[in-house]
Amino acid sequence: IMATNHRKELALNRTLQDCDPDGFVSVADLRSILRCSRGKIDHMVREGKLRKYYIGGNVRFRVQSVLDVIEDVTGERPNPWKQGEAA
């Protein structure tokens, strides 16, 4: 799904840290978080790994679903909102 050399950096991605843990992210933010193309995101949607939500006519993805995808790839669930750790 993602480039091998970026796996450990995903938990510290500033875009993910700035998101509401119970909220949604745009396609552009998701591309930044996962460091992948729009086509790869479309492929993950077709595979059922991600679900699209239409909010105000725009495509959004749940932040928790993004964390699930990261966990599937890295084997660890990141917690970018953990208190007391430097970003």
Side-chain angles (χ1 to χ4, degrees):
I1 290 178
M2 295 165 270
T4 306
N5 59 341
H6 291 296
R7 285 186 178 179
K8 295 299 180 188
E9 296 174 25
L10 289 172
L12 301 177
N13 189 296
R14 180 63 64 192
T15 304
L16 190 55
Q17 288 176 329
D18 292 341
C19 296
D20 174 11
D22 297 319
F24 295 86
V25 293
S26 68
V27 174
D29 288 342
L30 184 60
R31 288 184 63 213
S32 175
I33 292 166
L34 298 181
R35 295 178 177 91
C36 67
S37 69
R38 173 69 187 250
K40 187 61 181 175
I41 292 170
D42 291 340
H43 186 72
M44 288 188 281
V45 170
R46 282 192 302 272
E47 287 180 335
K49 293 181 180 179
L50 287 173
R51 180 177 173 203
K52 286 182 185 180
Y53 294 87
Y54 291 91
I55 300 173
N58 298 310
V59 175
R60 299 285 188 250
F61 299 92
R62 284 198 178 278
V63 170
Q64 294 302 317
S65 297
V66 174
L67 294 176
D68 291 341
V69 168
I70 294 171
E71 183 179 19
D72 287 346
V73 172
T74 64
E76 297 177 10
R77 187 170 187 88
N79 184 359
W81 307 283
K82 190 180 271 186
Q83 297 296 322
E85 289 188 13

